[in-house]
Amino acid sequence: MVAASDILLSVEHLTMRFGGLVAVDDLSFQARQGDITALIGPNGAGKTTVFNCITGFYKPSEGRLGLCHGDASVWSELEALTDSGKRSVTRGDGALYQLERLPDFLVTQQARVARTFQNIRLFPGMTVLENLLVAQHNRLMLASGYTLIGILGFPSYAAAERAAIDKARMWLDRVGLIERADDPAGDLPYGAQRRLEIARAMCTEPVLLCLDEPAAGLNPRESAELNALLLTIRNEYAISILLIEHDMSVVMEISDHLIVLDYGVKISDGPPEIVRNDPKVIAAYLGVADEEVAQVEAEVGL
Amino acid sequence: MQAGSQDRRVELTRALRDAGVTALLAFGLFLPLIGFETQQNIRNELILTTRLPLLFTIVAIVGVGRLVYSLALDPWLKQRTMRPPQATPSAWRAPVAKWFIPFSIGFVIAYPIIVVAIKGLGGAVKWVDNFGIQILIYVMLGWGLNIVVGLAGLLDLGYVAFYAVGAYSYALLAKTFGFSFWILLPLAGLLSSFWGILLGFPVLRLRGDYLAIVTLAFGEIIRIVLINWVDLTNGYAGISGIPRPTFFGISFNANDDGFAAVFGLEFSPIYRTIFLYYLILALAFLTAFVTVRLRRLPVGRAWEALREDEIACRSLGINTTNTKLTAFAMGAMFAGFAGSFFAARQGFVSPESFTFLESATILSIVVLGGMGSQIGVAIAAIVMIGGTEIMRELDFLKQIFGSAFDPTQYRMLLFGFAMVLIMIWKPRGLISSRDPSVFLKERKSISSDLVKEGHG
Ligand SMILES: Nc1ncnc2c1ncn2[C@@H]1O[C@H](COP(=O)(O)OP(=O)(O)O)[C@@H](O)[C@H]1O
Ligand SMILES: [Mg+2]
């Protein structure tokens, strides 16, 4: 099924059960390289659960999550990888990961999938700059020779740290927080915290950026700025984005591809124009049965 | 005017009523505790006597105390909190902060010389040993535990176990193989951090209270093994005759090749004490230096990030298990250094020195000092350990309370009292603000309201 040439992430038959509750039910979808793919659905539809499965915070009850680096031809290794029981294969022209086999920190470190959280999770007692340096931990750790070179004060580590600070500075400029670099992250206003969390995720140098309701709690102006930021990330840095939103109007403008979840089941999948007019989607959002959609639409004037 | 005096009367009645209730409570509580006393008479029989004057004195103190509190102290405190906080720190703060550290370092380096100058060679031993070395051991232990508790936010109630491992490693290896102190010091640190990692592996999945309980149990296990493995550790009796450290091969004894003789000095125990003082001072400085350095390295930032939010750490690709283990191993290593120093200084180790009370003391030093703050921890160690040592010196109290009064007996009471006071006055410790590890334009210290304490 993974034939298309530019697939980045392929979710197949993902199911997540919590006891008797089936939060995600046999979900399959694909995200293309360089796309903004949006996962939408009403509250409690299972969107965050999908994210937690992709980023390794939950082990899926069933299903396969494939992610490719480099040339899409590595997808041909998928069946062999699954049978081998290994976490990943690396070839000269790319690599393939089975995310459900990776522990959470390796999903970011090796498969390079970064994420933000629905309830912002910054390091509130550390400065904005420190937050961005923690995000570059693995590279700096290597540069500090796993602390040995660093503690002896060799100049090679100092250079690596300067580079990390420059990178942080670049992202702070991007998200308009350069003036607050030395303030504690917990002191920032809500909208700024959201932007900082995105900048922090970007500092891990991901290929796929997963954002869990980044527009939640933002005012319309901040929301528009966020859209611009996401488009920059996609266009200038060629990074694919997987976006959760429960407010449809936000995503319609910037997404290339939408997947709609309701009670853990995928009810629609396609470009925004098609999903927008899908009666099932409208029904899910308005909370009525399919047959009554036309009537309700007429009533609310859609 | 009328209303004012009426208010005043209402206030007075309420204060009197409060005082009455408090006195009554105190009476009920202290009647069995203080009012009655059992004593043995000449025939070894227990007889019940009463101590009513003492009881009523205490009840009166409590009642009057409460009255003073509600009439004077409480309004004053309320007024103080209502005043807006000062916007700009007072002018003397900055220079004091700037000169405090260099001055303190100068002072601790000059301390033995000052003491010898004041007290003479003979009298100085006690002051250098009890106040200098003893305090510095706890400063070092506090700084070591600070890595685990203050930076990484992992509550460790069994820290003394690593101190014990260091002490016994030195004691056993020095006695059995005759290795020198300088070989055994790093070895003891290594062994301790090995035990730190060994403990870390199973327990680091636990968080908060559970982690605290398991580390407490680990501390007890080590102590009980030391007691019961008599073949190796000689049990309760402990290990004595541990070789003392030498000054580049020159021992501190009265022989012809001893330190005093070699340097043409008159023999005195003070030379060894001063040598030990500078040794522990160097070890403590090493601990502080390494910690300050580590804080600015990725591993130190990862510790602090872990304390702030573990899940966010994992989402950034940080291996939190390894990060916690390095914190445990680092903290344990410094405890191991301190332990081997302890063994070398005493020449004797026994399980008595490694009870839970030690862990609790070190932890309270870290908490009172302000988790994460080097200076705060050092001040707390000086106050707590120095304070208990001072208690031994307060002989004049005997003149007030009679010769049966032993001030050291009230050590723990005062200890607890000081802790309660500090926790009321500064709930996050003496120095609670956090110093950022890196800055772009300006170093601003971070208020403790934002800094997390960690959760396990
Ligand atoms: N760790 C968990 N344990 C039990 N139930 C969970 C857990 N996580 C999510 N759920 C349940 O799964 C369902 C989907 O939740 P979630 O993925 O957070 O929805 P969404 O993000 O779309 O609002 C909800 O019914 C929620 O209660
Ligand atoms: Mg959600």
Side-chain angles (χ1 to χ4, degrees):
Chain A
M1 74 177 283
V2 277
S5 60
D6 56 350
I7 299 295
L8 174 68
L9 171 77
S10 161
V11 174
E12 294 168 82
H13 304 290
L14 175 67
T15 300
M16 184 75 215
R17 293 186 206 95
F18 298 109
L21 176 86
V22 185
V24 179
D25 192 2
D26 197 24
L27 171 71
S28 299
F29 72 89
Q30 295 173 336
R32 277 190 305 274
Q33 212 119 35
D35 266 7
I36 295 182
T37 307
L39 197 59
I40 65 171
N43 267 329
K47 307 180 295 291
T48 300
T49 306
V50 173
F51 259 40
N52 283 336
C53 291
I54 291 174
T55 51
F57 282 85
Y58 291 164
K59 275 256 147 313
S61 314
E62 273 165 47
R64 181 162 72 175
L65 305 163
L67 182 101
C68 118
H69 286 181
D71 196 89
S73 65
V74 289
W75 279 114
S76 58
E77 310 275 346
L78 185 59
E79 294 306 328
L81 174 62
T82 307
D83 293 338
S84 74
K86 291 208 197 90
R87 290 166 171 174
S88 62
V89 284
T90 312
R91 288 198 328 203
D93 58 349
L96 193 65
Y97 296 86
Q98 237 171 301
L99 298 181
E100 79 278 9
R101 293 180 179 170
L102 265 61
D104 44 22
F105 69 94
L106 287 185
V107 170
T108 310
Q109 192 181 329
Q110 293 179 354
R112 291 169 57 203
V113 176
R115 72 170 291 179
T116 65
F117 295 87
Q118 188 167 352
N119 318 308
I120 305 172
R121 280 184 177 273
L122 291 169
F123 306 121
M126 301 176 87
T127 66
V128 168
L129 180 64
E130 284 179 307
N131 268 269
L132 297 190
L133 290 187
V134 172
Q136 305 178 54
H137 175 82
N138 288 315
R139 205 160 347 103
L140 285 174
M141 200 68 182
L142 208 63
S144 76
Y146 295 93
T147 307
L148 226 58
I149 293 177
I151 207 152
L152 298 174
F154 281 109
S156 65
Y157 171 69
E161 193 182 59
R162 262 197 307 281
I165 291 176
D166 282 341
K167 188 185 186 78
R169 197 201 305 261
M170 189 271 285
W171 276 107
L172 288 178
D173 252 338
R174 267 277 132 77
V175 298
L177 287 174
I178 193 81
E179 292 305 319
R180 314 275 328 241
D182 297 324
D183 289 335
D187 256 356
L188 298 181
Y190 190 81
Q193 294 200 6
R194 283 242 176 255
R195 277 178 286 147
L196 176 59
E197 207 190 12
I198 294 173
R200 190 181 67 178
M202 286 307 299
C203 279
T204 66
E205 300 200 326
V207 296
L208 176 66
L209 178 64
C210 300
L211 305 173
D212 197 344
E213 305 211 10
L218 300 190
N219 62 35
R221 190 175 55 83
E222 288 174 324
S223 205
E225 280 171 9
L226 175 78
N227 284 359
L229 174 65
L230 297 188
L231 288 174
T232 317
I233 288 175
R234 196 227 4 215
N235 298 340
E236 281 182 34
Y237 298 89
I239 287 163
S240 318
I241 296 177
L242 189 62
L243 183 69
I244 288 185
E245 235 350 301
H246 82 256
D247 180 357
M248 286 233 281
S249 62
V250 178
V251 277
M252 287 300 173
E253 290 173 33
I254 58 165
S255 327
D256 305 294
H257 177 191
L258 290 176
I259 293 121
V260 189
L261 278 187
D262 191 21
Y263 295 110
V265 182
K266 182 167 91 174
I267 55 172
S268 186
D269 185 345
E273 315 76 69
I274 299 196
V275 168
R276 189 203 309 268
N277 299 317
D278 188 332
K280 273 191 180 151
V281 176
I282 299 166
Y285 267 83
L286 297 178
V288 294
D290 289 0
E291 308 82 59
E292 302 165 33
V293 166
Q295 186 198 337
V296 174
E297 270 187 295
E299 277 171 18
V300 299
L302 269 175
Chain B
M1 203 59 225
Q2 184 90 38
S5 79
Q6 191 141 5
D7 270 3
R8 191 91 197 115
R9 192 168 312 142
V10 169
E11 218 170 85
L12 197 65
T13 352
R14 184 175 322 132
L16 278 174
R17 203 187 53 217
D18 274 0
V21 170
T22 316
L24 212 63
L25 272 176
F27 180 77
L29 191 65
F30 290 132
L31 180 66
L33 287 178
I34 293 174
F36 295 110
E37 189 185 27
T38 53
Q39 280 179 332
Q40 277 176 336
N41 65 7
I42 294 174
R43 277 166 299 170
N44 264 348
E45 293 164 342
L46 275 184
I47 49 166
L48 191 68
T49 56
T50 55
R51 296 196 287 184
L52 292 183
L54 184 64
L55 173 67
F56 285 117
T57 318
I58 288 178
V59 169
I61 290 174
V62 170
V64 172
R66 172 74 212 195
L67 196 65
V68 169
Y69 174 80
S70 35
L71 285 183
L73 211 57
D74 194 38
W76 178 73
L77 279 176
K78 281 218 179 83
Q79 210 176 8
R80 225 178 62 129
T81 46
M82 247 140 75
R83 236 184 344 204
Q86 278 179 318
T88 48
S90 33
W92 55 269
R93 275 250 171 108
V96 166
K98 192 170 155 213
W99 289 107
F100 182 74
I101 294 179
F103 175 79
S104 321
I105 292 177
F107 177 76
V108 293
I109 290 174
Y111 177 74
I113 299 162
I114 297 172
V115 172
V116 169
I118 296 174
K119 291 272 174 182
L121 281 183
V125 173
K126 185 181 83 182
W127 285 89
V128 176
D129 197 41
N130 290 3
F131 287 91
I133 298 176
Q134 185 73 5
I135 291 176
L136 281 174
I137 289 180
Y138 281 91
V139 169
M140 179 167 176
L141 288 170
W143 280 343
L145 184 61
N146 191 23
I147 295 176
V148 185
V149 179
L151 295 184
L154 304 165
L155 188 52
D156 181 356
L157 292 181
Y159 191 61
V160 78
F162 307 120
Y163 188 41
V165 169
Y168 272 84
S169 310
Y170 177 74
L172 290 171
L173 292 173
K175 275 202 83 169
T176 322
F177 299 106
F179 290 150
S180 88
F181 176 77
W182 296 107
I183 296 174
L184 288 179
L185 182 75
L187 207 60
L190 225 64
L191 281 170
S192 286
S193 53
F194 169 74
W195 280 95
I197 293 173
L198 218 62
L199 164 71
F201 262 118
V203 308
L204 287 180
R205 305 150 153 274
L206 306 174
R207 313 178 105 220
D209 307 349
Y210 299 97
L211 178 70
I213 291 167
V214 175
T215 50
L216 185 145
F218 179 76
E220 287 303 289
I221 290 171
I222 294 272
R223 192 174 62 88
I224 288 167
V225 167
L226 292 178
I227 291 172
N228 288 309
W229 195 354
V230 179
D231 295 343
L232 185 73
T233 65
N234 204 16
Y236 276 117
I239 300 171
S240 54
I242 302 167
R244 302 307 196 85
T246 57
F247 182 75
F248 299 104
I250 307 170
S251 349
F252 291 90
N253 54 25
N255 297 347
D256 283 348
D257 55 356
F259 181 84
V262 168
F263 287 87
L265 302 162
E266 200 182 321
F267 175 76
S268 159
I270 186 75
Y271 300 123
R272 172 188 285 154
T273 312
I274 290 181
F275 171 68
L276 288 175
Y277 176 87
Y278 283 115
L279 187 57
I280 185 69
L281 186 65
L283 286 174
F285 276 154
L286 176 78
T287 315
F289 173 78
V290 170
T291 313
V292 168
R293 260 273 159 82
L294 286 177
R295 268 201 69 210
R296 295 185 188 149
L297 287 175
V299 68
R301 286 203 199 100
W303 289 338
E304 292 201 79
L306 195 67
R307 176 194 68 204
E308 297 282 316
D309 193 326
E310 183 176 343
I311 294 193
C313 273
R314 284 194 267 145
S315 85
L316 297 174
I318 296 176
N319 185 337
T320 50
T321 312
N322 286 356
T323 308
K324 287 179 183 178
L325 281 179
T326 52
F328 251 82
M330 268 294 163
M333 186 179 80
F334 289 119
F337 288 163
S340 65
F341 173 83
F342 173 81
R345 170 210 185 198
Q346 307 290 99
F348 168 74
V349 289
S350 81
E352 300 279 287
S353 313
F354 308 107
T355 54
F356 171 66
L357 191 63
E358 289 298 302
S359 288
T361 307
I362 304 165
L363 186 66
S364 27
I365 286 173
V366 174
V367 173
L368 290 182
M371 290 201 255
S373 158
Q374 306 271 358
I375 298 172
V377 168
I379 294 174
I382 292 170
V383 172
M384 306 255 299
I385 305 303
T388 54
E389 292 296 324
I390 284 269
M391 294 295 290
R392 294 185 212 278
E393 306 296 320
L394 300 181
D395 280 336
F396 69 88
L397 287 175
K398 283 199 176 150
Q399 280 155 17
I400 304 173
F401 294 103
S403 58
F405 179 81
D406 179 7
T408 43
Q409 299 254 308
Y410 291 81
R411 224 175 73 220
M412 291 323 273
L413 188 69
L414 281 194
F415 217 74
F417 200 61
M419 251 158 100
V420 170
L421 280 185
I422 293 184
M423 287 293 108
I424 290 172
W425 170 56
K426 287 213 141 184
R428 297 291 295 267
L430 290 172
I431 299 188
S432 49
S433 61
R434 178 179 174 269
D435 201 25
S437 65
V438 62
F439 62 97
L440 217 51
K441 291 197 192 74
E442 180 192 357
R443 186 182 290 280
K444 304 176 186 167
S445 86
I446 297 171
S447 135
S448 60
D449 312 338
L450 296 168
V451 180
K452 294 268 192 296
E453 288 165 13
H455 36 59

